[in-house]
């Protein structure tokens, strides 16, 4: 329902009569606030009260002060090259700052402020005064932050002064440059001012929400960032905020709590109300607050549901801001605008960047984009030195704001010390298509000016700054051109941080998720060291484990939480298609390399054939560690809501061992068949094929592990360089075993697939598998595009025979 008709010359409008159709009158920000107020409150989205001055009010101010002709002359002089940007901007701003408010406008603004005071029950309510230009926040143009915002403004005189400064900010140097680049006439643009009740987030926290993954464009996740205090620190990127990821399809399930990612940020500083009067104060965040999450899980889920409601109303991905009132504990949505970067990308075409060399890691941070770039580092510590930037260099700085946009456009890559994925540097880098690594903390000191470096955002959520010009390759892909296949084509995923990167692939699910990768990269601690910290002999290990598990009263919960969310994140891109998660398959030497691992592992002459896989899970030496794996799987399936997770048992030597593992799983709440749980087995040992009928009676499906099967059938160490020529899964002995496994699985009525590089490396091997009628083939994502046509061609040849 649209707002009622109003006189075209109204100077002030309350948010509850403003809608998106009013962008020409109140600009994108204020139109959006009106839209939220009018239409989203019914969905439970809380929006602080406020009002907007109109474009007519701005034009009245310009006209009554008789400065339009002077403004036009200044713009003409700038465009003709007679004056520079800095002098032009300063002169335009001074024209406005020296103006006075017409009495009618003063009356309209102060009356609206008094009405707001009555509505909120305060004499001089603190308000946020935000600029909303009539040409900003359009679907094809974001570059937020062109005009100014003033926080904690109290009283009528302070409000009018803030409004005048907002009008002047229409001509900041960055705003002038932005309009020049966009071809927007400076005098055609008007400025609306949004005046909104301040939420006391200075006593709690605030941040930003996106209704998609900002790096990959994955549309089924809500990203939330949070820091203590007012939200400007997050938007500007001056702090590294907390991050939360919520899988949106499961938000409608009241029994699920689909938070699939949580990370504590440093939150080094916080912006709070000044101790007296108007204005704000930037303080160091106390250490205890830096270590705590800003939001409780219930609050994360509430904000995520609000984000979905806003997205549904607008019919497109959205970029939103939220705040929590520290006095009342209430959450509020304080801004919403269209997401402008991923919304313009193709849902089928994308580029795949791959490093083909290596270099020393100089810095790590959040990856912005998925590309790689290299060049000479240009370290600029202060905005006053922007003029020294060299075209094509990698910009290395502490943080950016809109004044940096002109040189960001000329940079090959960007590195910042501060900021997260929703900071100014991140937002602008995405829009420009420039890879960036933000929040490195020490980038400006770890990287020398003039040093050749490579910025890589191709590994997932973590971006790397490498020393040297590391070679890389780029593959252009379009999944819309892939042929269809009868064989189900799945993907192998290991790294949760990179899982969203591959959501565009038309995969039938995850055919192999390696639990040990999550443990070694995200958890890093031997599970038994968390169960029995008293057995740790190395004090350094104990200190490192204490640091990792900080914030957990029970350190085993660290393992369960991290593993559960990692599993859930891998299970999300193709949900509700199956995600087959293999139980940990470390060898003893690999377990020993984890923090604390040396205290719980014995040295073996041949770990490849030793205490690994199924033999560990029911053994006293690892039984308690296996219990943690089961708890994490149970949490991922039943608490987070990912019932599509299938558990797979590796290296199961005998049917008796299978029985022991299934019994141990049931003991820990993972009984096969309960709550829809399916349990698969890796078919990778000759005994698995010889006794396939007996194993099939115990499991719901098989997945052929061609590497181990080839190794054990041919007696060839798969890691031996000397025997590499003999290691071939196409050997007749191996293909005979595979053929028999497929035949026996089908006879038993269970599905069988394969997860390995063989079909990608050898087209004739893929054709063999298709000919044998294998049900699924799981591929590494980067070989998916080149292998699917091979499989389709094999199917076509089989059909023609």
């Amino acid at each position: 329902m649209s707002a009622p008709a109003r006189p075209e010359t109204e100077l002030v409008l309350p948010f509850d009569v403003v809608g998106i159709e009013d962008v020409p009158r109140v600009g994108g920000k204020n139109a959006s606030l009106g839209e939220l107020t009018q239409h989203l409150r019914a969905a439970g989205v809380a929006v602080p009260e406020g009002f907007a001055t109109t474009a007519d009010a701005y034009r009245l101010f310009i006209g009554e002060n008789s400065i339009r002709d002077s403004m036009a002359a200044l713009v003409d002089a700038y465009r003709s090259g007679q004056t520079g940007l800095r002098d032009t901007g300063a002169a335009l701003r001074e024209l406005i700052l020296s103006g006075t408010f017409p009495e009618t406008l003063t009356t309209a603004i102060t009356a609206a402020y008094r009405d707001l005071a009555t509505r909120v029950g305060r004499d001089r309510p603190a308000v946020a005064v935000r600029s909303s230009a009539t040409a900003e926040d359009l679907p094809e143009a974001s570059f937020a932050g062109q005009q100014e915002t003033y926080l904690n403004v109290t009283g009528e005189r302070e409000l009018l002064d803030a409004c005048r400064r907002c009008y002047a900010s229409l001509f900041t140097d960055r705003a002038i440059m932005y309009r020049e680049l966009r071809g927007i006439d400076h005098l055609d643009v008007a400025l609306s001012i949004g005046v909104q009740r301040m939420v006391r987030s200075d006593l709690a926290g605030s941040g930003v929400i996106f209704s998609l993954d900002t790096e990959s464009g994955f549309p089924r996740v809500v990203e939330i960032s949070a820091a203590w205090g007012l939200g400007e620190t997050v938007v500007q990127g001056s702090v590294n905020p907390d991050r939360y990821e919520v899988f949106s399809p499961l938000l409608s399930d009241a029994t699920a709590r689909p938070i699939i990612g949580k990370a504590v940020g440093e939150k080094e500083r916080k912006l709070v109300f000044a101790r007296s009067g108007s204005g704000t104060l930037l303080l160091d965040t106390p250490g205890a607050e830096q270590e705590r999450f800003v939001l409780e899980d219930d609050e994360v889920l509430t904000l995520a549901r609000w984000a979905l409601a806003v997205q549904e109303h607008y019919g497109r991905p959205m970029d939103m801001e939220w705040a929590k009132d520290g006095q009342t504990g209430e959450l509020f949505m304080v801004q919403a605008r269209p997401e402008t970067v991923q919304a313009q990308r193709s849902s089928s075409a994308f580029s795949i960047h791959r490093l083909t060399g290596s270099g020393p890691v100089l810095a790590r941070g959040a990856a912005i984009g998925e590309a790689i770039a290299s060049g000479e580092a240009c370290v600029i510590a202060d905005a006053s030195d922007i003029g020294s930037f060299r075209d094509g260099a990698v910009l290395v700085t502490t943080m950016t704001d809109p004044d940096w946009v002109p040189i960001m456009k000329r940079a090959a890559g960007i590195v910042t010390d501060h900021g997260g994925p929703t900071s100014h540097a991140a937002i602008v880098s995405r829009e420009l298509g420039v890879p960036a690594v933000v929040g490195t903390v020490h980038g400006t000191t770890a990287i020398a000016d003039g040093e050749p470096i490579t910025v890589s955002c191709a590994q997932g959520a973590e971006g790397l700054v490498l020393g040297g010009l590391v070679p890389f390759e780029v593959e252009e892909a379009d999944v819309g051109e892939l042929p269809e296949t009868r064989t189900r084509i799945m993907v192998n995923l290991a790294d949760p941080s990179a899982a969203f990167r591959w959501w565009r692939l038309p995969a039938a699910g995850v055919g192999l998720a390696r639990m040990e990768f999550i443990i070694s990269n995200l958890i890093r601690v031997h599970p038994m060291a968390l169960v029995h910290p008293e057995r740790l002999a190395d004090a350094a290990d104990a200190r490192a484990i204490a640091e990792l598990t900080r914030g957990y009263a029970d350190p085993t919960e660290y393992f369960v939480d991290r593993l559960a969310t990692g599993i859930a994140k891998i299970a999300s891109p193709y949900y509700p298609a199956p995600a087959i998660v293999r139980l940990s398959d470390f060898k003893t030497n690999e377990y020993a390399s984890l923090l604390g691992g040396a205290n719980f592992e014995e040295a073996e002459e041949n770990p490849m054939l030793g205490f690994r896989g199924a033999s560990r899970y029911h053994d006293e030496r690892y039984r308690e560690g296996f219990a943690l794996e089961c708890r994490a799987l149970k949490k991922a399936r039943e608490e987070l809501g990912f019932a599509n997770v299938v558990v797979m048992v590796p290296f199961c030597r005998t049917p008796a061992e299978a029985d022991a593992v299934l019994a141990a799983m049931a003991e820990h709440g993972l009984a096969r068949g309960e709550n829809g749980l399916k349990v698969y087995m890796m078919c990778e040992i000759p005994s698995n094929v010889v006794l396939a009928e007996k194993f099939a009676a115990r499991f719901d499906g098989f997945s052929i592990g061609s590497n181990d099967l080839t190794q054990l059938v041919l007696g060839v160490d798969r890691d031996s360089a000397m025997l590499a020529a003999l290691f071939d899964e196409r050997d007749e002995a191996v293909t005979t075993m595979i053929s028999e496994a497929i035949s026996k699985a089908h006879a038993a009525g269970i599905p069988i697939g394969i997860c390995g590089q063989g079909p990608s490396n050898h087209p004739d091997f893929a054709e063999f598998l298709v000919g044998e009628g294998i049900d699924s083939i799981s591929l590494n994502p980067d070989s998916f595009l080149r292998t699917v046509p091979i499989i389709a061609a094999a199917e076509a040849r089989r059909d023609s025979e």
Side-chain angles (χ1 to χ4, degrees):
M1 181 176 177
S2 62
R6 303 180 303 272
E8 288 300 314
T9 55
E10 281 185 293
L11 302 178
V12 173
L13 297 169
F15 287 151
D16 50 16
V17 300
V18 172
I20 203 66
E21 68 277 4
D22 292 304
V23 168
R25 302 185 70 189
V26 298
K29 281 191 180 71
N30 290 333
S32 179
L33 282 169
E35 194 76 8
L36 290 175
T37 302
Q38 282 198 71
H39 301 288
L40 274 300
R41 278 182 172 168
V45 180
V47 185
E49 303 85 345
F51 60 89
T53 67
T54 64
D56 289 321
Y58 170 80
R59 295 187 181 103
L60 176 65
F61 178 91
I62 299 300
E64 288 292 310
N65 284 282
S66 303
I67 58 176
R68 182 178 174 85
D69 289 345
S70 298
M71 294 166 67
L74 288 168
V75 170
D76 288 344
Y78 169 64
R79 285 183 167 164
S80 66
Q82 297 176 46
T83 56
L85 173 62
R86 183 170 297 181
D87 290 341
T88 301
L92 287 164
R93 293 191 295 275
E94 181 56 34
L95 278 175
I96 293 173
L97 290 172
S98 61
T100 58
F101 277 92
E103 184 177 347
T104 53
L105 182 53
T106 298
T107 300
I109 292 174
T110 55
Y113 181 67
R114 290 169 191 166
D115 179 64
L116 177 62
T118 300
R119 293 172 68 183
V120 302
R122 297 176 189 167
D123 290 337
R124 287 163 47 92
V127 292
V129 183
R130 303 181 188 276
S131 307
S132 181
T134 57
E136 70 174 4
D137 290 332
L138 302 177
E140 70 280 0
S142 65
F143 281 115
Q146 297 304 312
Q147 283 79 47
E148 299 296 344
T149 291
Y150 300 96
L151 303 177
N152 189 29
V153 176
T154 58
E156 295 176 7
R157 179 182 299 176
E158 290 85 352
L159 173 59
L160 290 171
D161 182 59
C163 288
R164 183 185 290 104
R165 286 182 285 158
C166 278
Y167 281 162
S169 76
L170 189 58
F171 293 97
T172 60
D173 294 354
R174 59 182 177 261
I176 295 170
M177 177 62 69
Y178 173 76
R179 291 192 293 271
E180 286 289 302
L181 294 170
R182 290 280 176 177
I184 299 171
D185 191 303
H186 299 286
L187 300 186
D188 281 349
V189 176
L191 190 125
S192 167
I193 299 166
V195 179
Q196 188 176 34
R197 172 171 67 90
M198 281 292 298
V199 174
R200 289 303 305 266
S201 58
D202 65 309
L203 302 176
S206 51
V208 175
I209 313 174
F210 283 90
S211 62
L212 49 55
D213 178 53
T214 51
E215 305 315 319
S216 68
F218 179 50
R220 299 197 294 167
V221 70
V222 175
E223 285 188 353
I224 302 172
S225 60
W228 299 111
L230 305 174
E232 300 304 298
T233 57
V234 178
V235 174
Q236 294 170 359
S238 61
V239 300
N240 297 324
D242 295 345
R243 292 190 64 200
Y244 312 84
E245 294 171 310
V246 184
F247 186 60
S248 51
L250 288 172
L251 283 169
S252 59
D253 183 348
T255 65
R257 299 174 66 79
I259 300 173
I260 61 174
K262 288 175 66 174
V264 176
E266 289 84 358
K267 307 181 293 290
E268 308 96 322
R269 289 169 293 281
K270 62 178 178 178
L271 190 67
V272 301
F273 282 15
R275 293 189 174 93
S276 61
S278 297
T280 58
L281 188 65
L282 189 63
L283 303 175
D284 289 337
T285 305
E289 287 188 350
Q290 289 188 41
E291 295 175 5
R292 276 172 41 214
F293 280 109
V294 172
L295 292 170
E296 300 292 335
D297 284 0
D298 284 344
E299 293 171 327
V300 172
L301 294 171
T302 294
L303 289 174
R305 290 190 175 98
W306 285 5
L308 282 193
V310 173
Q311 176 175 270
E312 183 177 353
H313 176 74
Y314 280 87
R316 61 177 299 149
M318 297 295 289
D319 167 2
M320 296 149 279
E321 296 176 26
W322 64 273
K324 179 180 177 180
D325 193 304
Q327 292 179 326
T328 66
E330 296 172 282
L331 293 170
F332 292 92
M333 186 79 76
V334 296
Q335 188 54 253
R337 62 183 72 85
E339 191 279 334
T340 58
V341 178
Q342 294 295 343
Q344 298 182 62
R345 289 184 62 181
S346 166
S347 62
S348 63
F350 62 106
S351 299
I352 302 173
H353 287 66
R354 301 185 194 89
L355 289 169
T356 56
S358 61
V361 177
L362 305 179
R364 302 173 185 268
I368 306 304
E370 299 172 343
I372 301 172
S374 58
E376 184 181 277
C378 185
V379 181
I380 301 179
D382 190 87
S384 61
D385 296 323
I386 282 178
S388 65
F389 182 75
R390 304 177 290 276
D391 284 2
V394 176
L395 172 63
V396 182
T397 188
T398 53
M399 57 179 281
T400 68
D401 61 32
D403 291 326
W404 293 73
V405 171
I407 68 167
M408 293 172 77
K409 287 175 172 287
R410 295 152 45 202
I414 295 168
V415 179
T416 69
D417 287 348
H418 304 301
T422 54
S423 64
H424 175 270
I427 291 170
V428 174
S429 295
R430 286 188 202 100
E431 179 134 0
L432 296 173
V434 176
V437 178
V438 302
T440 61
V441 181
H442 305 298
T444 52
T445 54
I447 301 167
D449 186 58
E451 179 181 8
I453 59 173
T454 298
V455 175
S456 177
C457 300
Q459 300 78 222
E462 183 181 57
L464 301 178
V465 183
L466 305 174
L469 303 179
V470 180
F472 62 92
E473 62 184 15
V474 183
E475 177 185 355
E476 300 299 328
D478 192 334
V479 298
E481 298 174 356
L482 288 175
E484 293 186 4
T485 63
R486 289 191 306 276
T487 309
R488 288 184 299 121
I489 311 301
M490 306 176 81
V491 291
N492 302 326
L493 294 178
D495 184 357
S497 72
F500 296 163
R501 181 182 178 195
W502 306 105
W503 71 271
R504 292 180 175 85
L505 297 178
V510 178
L512 175 64
R514 300 176 177 89
M515 186 184 286
E516 61 270 14
F517 186 97
I518 303 174
I519 294 172
S520 63
N521 287 271
L522 299 186
I523 298 173
R524 298 170 49 204
V525 184
H526 195 293
M528 292 295 289
L530 299 171
V531 177
H532 291 290
E534 75 282 357
R535 289 167 58 182
L536 293 174
D538 189 327
D541 275 4
R543 286 193 299 271
I545 292 171
E547 178 66 23
L548 286 172
T549 59
R550 187 176 54 184
Y552 288 89
D554 179 353
T556 64
E557 290 299 326
Y558 163 79
F559 185 95
V560 172
D561 279 354
R562 300 277 286 192
L563 183 54
T565 54
I567 290 168
K569 196 165 181 181
I570 284 175
S572 63
Y574 308 107
Y575 177 90
I580 302 171
V581 179
R582 188 176 70 188
L583 295 167
S584 65
D585 192 26
F586 284 124
K587 289 76 176 173
T588 49
N589 58 319
E590 294 167 334
Y591 267 118
S593 67
L594 296 171
L595 284 170
N599 300 277
F600 301 93
E601 300 295 333
E602 299 175 15
E604 292 186 290
E605 289 295 328
N606 189 352
M608 186 75 75
L609 298 179
F611 188 44
R612 62 175 285 202
S615 62
R616 298 182 67 95
Y617 309 144
H618 56 94
D619 190 283
E620 283 300 315
R621 288 169 290 181
Y622 188 72
R623 181 179 55 80
E624 293 168 296
F626 183 62
L628 300 186
E629 295 186 27
C630 291
R631 281 172 54 190
L633 284 160
K634 186 177 175 65
K635 180 173 182 175
R637 283 178 48 83
E638 298 176 18
E639 181 180 330
L640 303 185
F642 290 87
N644 63 322
V645 168
V646 176
V647 179
M648 185 156 65
V649 179
F651 227 75
C652 186
R653 295 171 169 98
T654 68
E657 193 166 63
D659 291 336
V661 171
L662 292 169
M665 289 177 60
E667 178 187 342
H668 301 306
L670 289 176
R672 178 187 170 210
E674 288 186 8
N675 299 313
L677 175 63
K678 293 183 178 180
V679 183
Y680 283 21
M681 183 193 77
M682 288 290 291
C683 185
E684 56 189 342
I685 304 172
S687 63
N688 299 151
V689 179
V690 174
L691 300 178
E693 295 91 346
K694 292 186 177 182
F695 284 109
R698 291 162 167 82
F699 293 101
D700 299 294
F702 291 162
S703 181
I704 297 169
S706 57
N707 284 342
D708 268 326
L709 187 60
T710 301
Q711 170 177 245
L712 296 173
V713 169
L714 298 180
V716 175
D717 181 352
R718 72 189 203 189
D719 293 331
S720 171
M722 291 186 293
L723 301 177
L726 293 175
F727 188 91
D728 190 343
E729 53 267 86
R730 296 170 298 171
D731 185 277
E732 183 180 1
V734 181
T735 57
T736 298
M737 294 291 277
I738 291 174
S739 178
E740 184 178 343
I742 294 171
S743 176
K744 288 181 175 179
H746 287 166
I750 66 170
I752 183 168
I754 187 169
C755 49
Q757 275 298 97
S760 302
N761 296 337
H762 308 296
D764 55 334
F765 187 57
E767 189 158 355
F768 158 74
L769 294 169
V770 169
E772 294 299 314
I774 199 161
D775 296 299
S776 65
I777 297 175
S778 193
L779 306 165
N780 288 343
D782 59 358
S783 63
F784 192 97
L785 295 162
R786 66 174 180 268
T787 307
V788 169
I790 293 170
I791 295 168
E795 291 178 344
R797 281 192 293 272
R798 186 186 184 197
D799 291 344
S800 65
E801 292 174 354

